Amino acid sequence: MKVVILAGGYGTRISEESHLKPKPMIEIGEYPILWHIMKIYSSYGFNDFIICLGYKGYKIKDYFLNYYLYKSDVTLDFTHGNQSIMHNQKAEPWKITLAETGLETMTAGRIKQIQKYVGNEPFLLTYGDGLGDINIKELVEFHESHGKIATLTTVQPAGRFGSLELSNNNEVMAFKEKVKGDGGWINGGFFVFQPEFFDFIDGETTVLEKEPLEKLAGLGQLMAYKHDGFWHPMDTLRDKNYLEQYWKSGKAPWKIWS
C-alpha cells in the first residue's frame, strides 16, 4: 500500500521558517518533519511514498536526491577523475515518487494529480506537518474491517488553556490545567482511502476537508479511527519548539523505530 504525503502548502503560520523552505522540510532535531513522518510509516513496513510537491518543492527533491549520500561514509578520489565511493550505506529501503502538483493547487487537487502513481488500489495519506504514535497496522485493519471508502484518524489534542470551575460567588471550585481535547475529537490526518475516493475530487481547486470528506460523510462512507495516544501538529513556531524539546529529551512519543 502506497503512502501519499501532502507537502505543497505555503506554511504561512510558521513563516519564521517557511520563508526559506517548505514546511515539511522544517527540522525536528537534525531531520525534517517529513522524515519523521516517513519513519512512522516505515516502522510498519510501508516504504513506498508519493510526496505531493508545491511551494519550494525543489528543496525536497534536493534532500532526497542526496539522501543516500547523506547517510553514507564517502571517499572522494580526485586522483582518478574525481571518483566517489560510498561506504556504510544506512539509507532506509524507501521508494519515493516526488510529484510536482502545482504551486496554488488545493489539497484534494494535489491528490487527484497523483492518481496515476497510486493506481487502482487502496492508499494511505497524511499531511506533511503532524506527528503521532499512530499504530498504522491497526489503522489499516480497522479500515479493511468496515468496508467503507474512507477512514480518518481522529484525535483529542491538548487544550491550549487550563479551565476553571467557578461557584456562583466566583470561588474557584476546581482548576484543570490544559484539559485534553477540550472535549472534542478532530481530524488528525493519517487517512486510508479506497481508490473510489478519486471520484469525489472535482479538480485543482478542491479542498480535501471540504467537498470530498463532506460528501463521504453524508453518504455514510467516512469512518473514524480513534487515536488516544500522542499527536501534535506543527502549525506554528511554538509547536516546532514543543516537538523539538521532545526529540532532544530522547523520549519523543512518535519515535516508534529503534
Side-chain angles (χ1 to χ4, degrees), residues 21-34:
K21 63 186 74 170
K23 189 178 181 183
M25 290 304 294
I26 296 172
E27 294 179 351
I28 305 297
E30 68 267 41
Y31 296 105
I33 191 171
L34 177 59

Side-chain angles (χ1 to χ4, degrees), residues 45-64:
F46 297 98
N47 294 303
D48 193 344
F49 297 95
I50 302 167
I51 303 176
C52 300
L53 305 179
Y55 174 69
K56 293 187 183 295
Y58 64 91
K59 295 273 189 179
I60 299 176
K61 284 184 176 179
D62 287 346
Y63 181 79
F64 284 112

Side-chain angles (χ1 to χ4, degrees), residues 1 3 39-49 93 124 136:
M1 194 177 289
V3 182
K39 290 288 285 186
I40 294 169
Y41 281 102
S42 186
S43 298
Y44 290 98
F46 297 98
N47 294 303
D48 193 344
F49 297 95
L124 297 153
I136 305 298

Side-chain angles (χ1 to χ4, degrees), residues 79-149:
T79 66
H80 293 86
N82 193 21
Q83 295 181 355
S84 61
I85 304 170
M86 285 185 278
H87 319 274
N88 269 346
Q89 294 100 339
K90 300 175 184 176
E92 289 79 3
W94 292 344
K95 177 182 177 183
I96 306 171
T97 300
L98 301 166
E100 291 289 349
T101 57
L103 190 60
E104 304 294 341
T105 310
M106 296 292 102
T107 45
R110 296 187 191 282
I111 298 167
K112 184 71 171 180
Q113 289 196 30
I114 54 84
Q115 182 175 4
K116 57 182 177 291
Y117 299 121
V118 171
N120 189 33
E121 61 184 53
F123 64 100
L124 297 153
L125 179 134
T126 197
Y127 306 106
D129 61 358
L131 296 174
D133 55 350
I134 317 293
N135 189 317
I136 305 298
K137 180 175 180 292
E138 286 187 1
L139 168 62
V140 172
E141 289 174 350
F142 173 76
H143 175 78
E144 293 174 342
S145 72
H146 60 63
K148 304 292 178 113
I149 293 175

Side-chain angles (χ1 to χ4, degrees), residues 3 13 15-16 44 65 68 70 78-79 87 102 113 116 126 136 160 162 182-183 211 222 233 248 257:
V3 182
R13 284 185 288 180
S15 59
E16 299 94 337
Y44 290 98
L65 284 170
Y68 203 67
Y70 296 152
F78 298 134
T79 66
H87 319 274
Q113 289 196 30
K116 57 182 177 291
T126 197
I136 305 298
R160 288 293 190 186
D182 293 334
E211 296 93 337
L222 177 61
K248 288 181 177 178
W257 58 91

Side-chain angles (χ1 to χ4, degrees), residues 66-81:
N66 291 292
Y67 187 70
Y68 203 67
L69 175 65
Y70 296 152
K71 300 287 283 187
S72 306
D73 296 339
V74 183
T75 296
L76 300 175
D77 187 353
F78 298 134
T79 66
H80 293 86

